[in-house]
Amino acid sequence: MSQDPHDMDLAHVQGSSTFFVEFAHEGKLEKTSHAYFQVALLYTTRGGQRRVRVHSVRMPVVTTLSGVFEADLEATLMGYIHEAIGNSVNKGLQYARNAAQDRVQKMLIAYRRVCTSNVTSSLLMPSRLRLIPLFVLSLLKADAFVEGTTVPIDDRVQKLFLLMTLPMHQCVAYMYPTLYAVHHLPSDPKSGVLDPETGRCMMPTWQQLIFDSITNDGVYVLCDEQARIVYLWVGSAVAPDVALELFGIVNALDVGRTVFFDDFGEKLKNVLYACLMRDDGMRRFVILHEKERAEEAFFRQLKEENEGGFMSYDQLLVRLHHDVRKSMT
Amino acid sequence: MYDPYGSAQRPEQPYYYPQGQQQQQPTQAVPSLTSWPQYTHPQYGAAPPPAATATATADAALVNNGAAMPAQYHDPYAFAPINGVQDHSNYYPVPNYAQQPQPPPLMPQQPPMPPQHQIQPQQQQTAGAVAASVPALPFTGAAPALSSRTDAGGSGLPTARQVEQTQQRRPSVGSFSPTHSFSQREQCASPIGRCARPPPKRSVDLKSAPNPRRDIPQRLGTEEIYTSSGQLPLSATGFIAVDDGNANPKFFRPTANSVPAEERLVKDSNVFFGAVLAPLCRPLHPREEVPLVEGRPPVRCHRCRAYISCHVRFTDMGRYWLCPFCSMSNEVGNEDFCNLDARGQRLDREERPELSRGSVEYDVGPYEEYALRDEKDAPIAVRPLHYLFLLDVSQKAIAKFLPDYVDALMRSLHEMAEYYPQCRVAFITYAATLHFYNVRHPRIPQLIVADVDNPFVPLPFTSLCWLTLGTDLDLVDAFLMRVLEYAEDLMESDCVDGGRCPGCHAGACGAARRPCHSVRTQGTTARRWRTEVEGATSLIRHR
């Protein structure tokens, strides 16, 4: 809520409150000078003290188009999110989806023109923004922006409000769920143990959200930050020694039936604690077995596939490549 | 203990993007063909000559087809995983590979001026095949060689890629015999199991396309940066930013490292020009805490009212300071004056956080300019935060969330009483009617307001209903323990919540400064109070 362009009136602001602001030029900046930004927050603490918090930033000025593409991934992704929220509320959901795709396409076309010296048929992307197409694809698959009526309207509105103030460090995990292959924990000496220096669990490597990553002899943990659910997916052909180490039982089919969280191995519990206990609340824990009906929700989180009917990642890349090449002719 | 993100993910090194190399397809293919005879290996010398000739012809056809018709890009993909299988056997004689001579590149590789990453379908397949074969390695002895090979592929050295291509092409003699299921098996990450769901046929090898597993670093270590360097590490993997002259990226994260000089650059590039603000961001490492300035008012520019910062320049031996926003020369007050050193910096710079840090906080309680004001613009005396809780006690609430919510609320208020004993709370319940309580009476009588269209407060709310956590916590407990009792007595099914807050009409909210509509939430929201810093009637101004 704001009464004039320079002030934002906030009834309350929290540690997790996040705002995105866009800047516009009123004139031209000199190359030799710097640009300065200052944010001042006048507020009352919970104890009743009046405070002013001032953040000051100085940034260099760039005059070339190639310098503009030295952008930050997370802040740019926040820009896409906030633009999509504004468009979906003011101009309709379909407009918001098309605008987000168009913006990615136009950015890549503009970038391609900057690289006219390199004659190649490949799809070129700015180095720091190369994950933007994938994250925008995930954004279009989020409950807040997905097409159709599969998402109840109350859910969609709640997700929109949540996205409006999403903290920055949750942005990537919200768009692209983290997937861990925990069946490697018994053989990996560095994963699943607590770091003696920080007390945190050293997590396994992230897996890619494609069907190739899920095998029937594996056990996977997937953190869906949109629904705030942690899935434990158990394959149908888990090796007995792996199952014994992870769950304390030879037959992995008993997980969730006669074997529960407290029976799990120490390493697996460490990983699950790290996924379930977050600074903004606990997550729900769901155990799934291969070929169960409920595993549809698990596979729908594989953002690079076209599960659910929308584009897959390779289809998006081919389409962007085609559009960029067409614009050069 | 420092645990910023609940141990969810490991802190990582800064977000580093290796630059992808651009190469012409024909240029890559021709040297490979030319160098084919040089890579005749003794093990494969026994192969029949006709088979070798046929293989060479097939490779030439593939290259020509790839150059002429882009649609042919699909054909090499079908063989890539099969080649991966063959590569597996080839990786065994690693020492022999190291002794093979490497052809010099035919064309010098010029790095592109702007940093960029290119997606080349064929190259992606090659890299994918190499990556796919790494987990299949049964022994650990050759792992370093494999890692170095993968790294070489990642760095995009043309020589390494030519060698890789040659290696790929040689074992294709045996690639025509595997079955389709074998091909599907190799597409999985596991050498033993098969995919729970079969991967579709793809136009692009997604394993070499940009994805977080490949492009977001996940290595150990708590990354530490200095804010004046302008680095923007990933928030998702965590970092510690030591404030040495710019605000922490956790508070102010711009969309770019540099500011475009004019509007045309923003329009033409279609890149956002903005920033993400989180002025009270939590959690923070102890080294990231914002210093508090007490005992002196903030120094501000007379013209644009910007606050003095570490970016101002002092002139005239320290008697004036130049505002970086409007270039106004402001006089330094006598109480703020200090001499400058040889580089024009104030000698007391380190003792004044506002002159050496990007983020600073002032205690402005004693200064009326910063006071809260009422409708008549008169200053309001400073007081602790007041929380008014509106509890839904309809039947649906009793069945769904009310018991858990009351329990979480009791715990949270006990915790809050330890840190902020001066905070005050009050309670109103509602269903189809509004219910007020005299919580200071031993039996806590309930007063019902049935006319919700013309609501009123049936008791002196200010003196009877507000409870101070530090001194009245027992009264809070007594009321909360009886909420369910009241709710079950009422057993109302309707609810007046829809779209408007009944308390606002009753006027009780005038004394509270926390939004009233957040009470209908789960217990996790209540628990969030323990770590959050909250402000009321906040005002954000940015220039």
Side-chain angles (χ1 to χ4, degrees):
Chain A
M1 193 169 67
S2 57
Q3 306 184 22
D4 72 76
H6 299 294
D7 292 344
M8 289 172 67
D9 298 327
L10 304 166
H12 75 116
V13 61
Q14 306 176 143
S16 60
S17 299
T18 309
F19 313 92
F20 182 80
V21 294
E22 241 183 317
F23 305 121
H25 287 79
E26 290 176 350
K28 193 170 178 177
L29 298 169
E30 298 303 321
K31 162 72 175 174
T32 52
S33 73
H34 285 91
Y36 299 91
F37 301 85
Q38 195 172 70
V39 181
L41 172 72
L42 172 61
Y43 71 104
T44 309
T45 65
R46 216 184 313 191
Q49 291 174 300
R50 288 294 275 174
R51 298 270 181 95
V52 171
R53 180 172 283 210
V54 181
H55 300 297
S56 305
V57 172
R58 175 174 76 175
M59 287 165 67
V61 172
V62 70
T63 57
T64 60
L65 204 52
S66 56
V68 175
F69 287 106
E70 291 284 326
D72 179 63
L73 170 73
E74 281 175 318
T76 300
L77 177 53
M78 288 290 243
Y80 276 96
I81 292 172
H82 280 83
E83 190 185 58
I85 293 173
N87 281 336
S88 65
V89 171
N90 296 316
K91 295 171 178 167
L93 179 67
Q94 200 55 48
Y95 184 96
R97 295 171 59 88
N98 292 336
Q101 294 183 64
D102 285 351
R103 183 153 195 152
V104 176
Q105 183 203 73
K106 287 193 174 85
M107 177 191 73
L108 295 180
I109 290 172
Y111 187 69
R112 187 68 179 81
R113 296 208 171 104
V114 171
C115 318
T116 48
S117 60
N118 308 291
V119 184
T120 174
S121 63
S122 307
L123 177 62
L124 305 179
M125 286 195 264
S127 177
R128 295 166 61 102
L129 294 179
R130 54 180 153 170
L131 289 172
I132 282 294
L134 175 54
F135 283 145
V136 170
L137 177 69
S138 298
L139 179 68
L140 299 181
K141 294 182 175 182
D143 283 353
F145 301 107
V146 77
E147 276 180 304
T149 55
T150 53
V151 179
I153 186 63
D154 284 350
D155 247 9
R156 191 187 293 268
V157 173
Q158 191 215 0
K159 297 299 199 312
L160 281 170
F161 275 107
L162 178 71
L163 279 171
M164 224 180 290
T165 57
L166 186 68
M168 181 104 68
H169 64 274
Q170 293 177 15
C171 201
V172 165
Y174 189 98
M175 289 301 143
Y176 196 88
T178 49
L179 177 67
Y180 303 105
V182 292
H183 56 281
H184 296 313
L185 286 179
S187 56
D188 187 354
K190 280 179 286 186
S191 296
V193 298
L194 301 185
D195 189 330
E197 182 184 332
T198 63
R200 276 185 302 234
C201 179
M202 303 192 328
M203 303 298 277
T205 311
W206 293 351
Q207 301 296 315
Q208 204 173 341
L209 296 178
I210 47 179
F211 286 153
D212 313 44
S213 300
I214 311 293
T215 59
N216 65 347
D217 66 333
V219 181
Y220 299 90
V221 170
L222 184 135
C223 306
D224 179 4
E225 282 298 276
Q226 197 178 206
R228 298 163 80 94
I229 293 174
V230 173
Y231 293 101
L232 180 73
W233 186 93
V234 184
S236 60
V238 181
D241 52 319
V242 172
L244 189 64
E245 191 90 27
L246 288 179
F247 310 115
I249 195 168
V250 168
N251 189 5
L253 293 179
D254 291 333
V255 177
R257 298 185 177 113
T258 58
V259 177
F260 297 98
F261 189 95
D262 291 335
D263 309 305
F264 291 174
E266 198 61 32
K267 280 189 162 191
L268 179 57
K269 278 207 276 200
N270 287 340
V271 170
L272 289 173
Y273 269 123
C275 298
L276 290 164
M277 308 293 186
R278 308 273 184 148
D279 60 334
D280 61 343
M282 270 192 72
R283 304 301 192 249
R284 261 207 308 145
F285 184 49
V286 173
I287 298 175
L288 298 167
H289 285 267
E290 190 182 346
K291 301 194 197 308
E292 273 183 6
R293 189 185 171 97
E295 72 170 1
E296 291 301 322
F298 173 85
F299 281 105
R300 206 176 300 124
Q301 296 308 311
L302 303 192
K303 301 293 183 181
E304 302 190 31
E305 304 287 351
N306 66 347
E307 195 82 351
F310 194 55
M311 251 189 301
S312 64
Y313 186 28
D314 64 306
Q315 288 167 2
L316 174 67
L317 291 175
V318 168
R319 178 166 146 174
L320 289 172
H321 191 194
H322 172 261
D323 292 339
V324 169
R325 283 201 327 191
K326 192 170 66 172
S327 74
M328 303 304 294
T329 62
Chain B
M1 175 176 289
Y2 171 53
D3 195 5
Y5 306 124
S7 300
Q9 291 174 27
R10 281 174 289 176
E12 301 291 345
Q13 293 196 7
Y15 201 171
Y16 168 71
Y17 298 91
Q19 294 191 17
Q21 296 291 328
Q22 298 178 84
Q23 297 172 22
Q24 295 237 31
Q25 302 278 348
T27 310
Q28 296 163 33
V30 172
S32 304
L33 288 179
T34 310
S35 312
W36 178 258
Q38 303 181 30
Y39 289 95
T40 304
H41 195 267
Q43 290 191 8
Y44 302 98
T53 308
T55 304
T57 308
D59 289 343
L62 282 177
V63 171
N64 293 336
N65 289 340
M69 291 177 284
Q72 291 295 326
Y73 278 0
H74 294 259
D75 289 344
Y77 178 78
F79 294 107
I82 302 174
N83 291 337
V85 179
Q86 301 303 318
D87 279 356
H88 175 212
S89 59
N90 282 340
Y91 285 132
Y92 194 86
V94 172
N96 295 328
Y97 166 75
Q99 299 167 13
Q100 294 170 8
Q102 298 183 355
L106 301 186
M107 187 179 296
Q109 186 71 25
Q110 295 186 3
M113 286 303 295
Q116 59 209 348
H117 175 264
Q118 56 174 342
I119 294 181
Q120 299 178 348
Q122 284 185 350
Q123 292 299 322
Q124 290 156 32
Q125 290 150 25
T126 305
V130 173
S133 61
V134 171
L137 196 66
F139 50 90
T140 57
L146 285 176
S147 302
S148 66
R149 185 187 184 90
T150 307
D151 290 345
S155 65
L157 296 176
T159 306
R161 290 205 176 180
Q162 292 165 19
V163 172
E164 281 180 22
Q165 280 191 335
T166 309
Q167 285 291 322
Q168 298 285 333
R169 296 184 190 286
R170 177 178 305 168
S172 62
V173 177
S175 66
F176 300 100
S177 57
T179 61
H180 181 68
S181 62
F182 194 39
S183 163
Q184 184 195 96
R185 171 185 298 266
E186 265 316 298
Q187 293 190 39
C188 303
S190 168
I192 303 170
R194 48 172 182 76
C195 290
R197 297 197 168 193
K201 198 152 194 177
R202 306 192 211 273
S203 320
V204 179
D205 180 14
L206 292 185
K207 286 182 180 127
S208 53
N211 66 81
R213 171 193 159 95
R214 199 197 65 165
D215 296 320
I216 293 183
Q218 304 168 40
R219 278 166 289 177
L220 285 174
T222 302
E223 168 68 13
E224 195 173 281
I225 64 156
Y226 286 88
T227 56
S228 63
S229 67
Q231 288 179 64
L232 295 172
L234 260 192
S235 303
T237 49
F239 62 93
I240 299 173
V242 180
D243 187 338
D244 67 336
N246 259 351
N248 191 324
K250 295 177 181 176
F251 299 131
F252 183 97
R253 191 178 188 101
T255 52
N257 285 100
S258 305
V259 174
E262 55 188 324
E263 187 179 10
R264 192 199 90 249
L265 296 172
V266 181
K267 270 185 161 46
D268 289 352
S269 63
N270 275 274
V271 172
F272 283 97
F273 175 38
V276 182
L277 312 178
L280 299 176
C281 178
R282 286 276 163 187
L284 290 175
H285 190 265
R287 297 184 62 187
E288 293 174 319
E289 290 292 341
V290 176
L292 179 64
V293 174
E294 289 172 296
R296 58 175 184 267
V299 178
R300 301 175 74 171
C301 174
H302 296 307
R303 177 153 67 186
C304 67
R305 306 298 291 153
Y307 294 81
I308 199 171
S309 72
C310 54
H311 305 130
V312 308
R313 276 198 304 115
F314 289 91
T315 59
D316 202 2
M317 311 292 281
R319 282 190 282 270
Y320 289 86
W321 64 277
L322 282 178
C323 176
F325 297 100
C326 67
S327 305
M328 170 87 164
S329 186
N330 296 276
E331 187 170 7
V332 176
N334 288 329
E335 64 280 359
D336 292 317
F337 176 78
C338 184
N339 284 312
L340 310 182
D341 60 17
R343 293 171 298 139
Q345 306 270 18
R346 277 172 63 118
L347 294 174
D348 64 344
R349 190 166 173 273
E350 290 305 319
E351 291 108 55
R352 289 180 173 254
E354 66 266 36
L355 299 182
S356 58
R357 305 278 285 260
S359 299
V360 67
E361 193 158 274
Y362 297 88
D363 183 1
V364 292
Y367 314 109
E368 199 174 272
E369 177 187 355
Y370 301 94
L372 266 172
R373 294 176 181 273
D374 56 19
E375 304 83 39
K376 303 184 180 67
D377 208 36
I380 297 176
V382 175
R383 59 194 174 185
L385 208 58
H386 287 52
Y387 294 84
L388 175 61
F389 293 94
L390 271 79
L391 307 176
D392 180 359
V393 293
S394 58
Q395 276 189 54
K396 189 179 289 186
I398 298 170
K400 284 198 168 181
F401 61 81
L402 190 58
D404 291 328
Y405 184 78
V406 168
D407 183 57
L409 185 55
M410 195 177 300
R411 295 166 188 261
S412 301
L413 291 179
H414 273 255
E415 202 162 331
M416 205 166 121
E418 288 182 43
Y419 296 96
Y420 303 100
Q422 68 273 51
C423 282
R424 311 182 87 193
V425 297
F427 304 94
I428 297 177
T429 65
Y430 66 94
T433 56
L434 286 171
H435 323 118
F436 295 81
Y437 301 87
N438 182 354
V439 286
R440 295 188 184 274
H441 193 282
R443 288 188 291 107
I444 316 182
Q446 180 191 56
L447 291 89
I448 297 178
V449 175
D451 188 4
V452 297
D453 293 325
N454 301 281
F456 64 98
V457 185
L459 77 174
F461 201 92
T462 305
S463 53
L464 283 188
C465 297
W466 288 110
L467 301 172
T468 306
L469 285 181
T471 56
D472 302 319
L473 196 55
D474 51 330
L475 298 181
V476 172
D477 288 346
F479 170 78
L480 287 176
M481 282 187 285
R482 292 188 59 186
V483 165
L484 286 179
E485 190 180 317
Y486 284 118
E488 279 152 11
D489 284 347
L490 291 164
M491 288 306 283
E492 300 185 24
S493 58
D494 293 335
C495 185
V496 296
D497 184 37
R500 54 178 188 154
C501 171
C504 294
H505 294 265
C509 288
R513 286 167 285 177
R514 181 170 177 88
C516 309
H517 301 278
S518 61
V519 293
R520 293 192 68 189
T521 53
Q522 299 301 317
T524 50
T525 300
R527 276 192 279 268
R528 292 168 63 180
W529 294 334
R530 71 191 64 171
T531 54
E532 287 178 356
V533 170
E534 298 187 13
T537 319
S538 307
L539 189 72
I540 289 188
R541 175 178 291 125
H542 53 86
R543 293 179 172 80

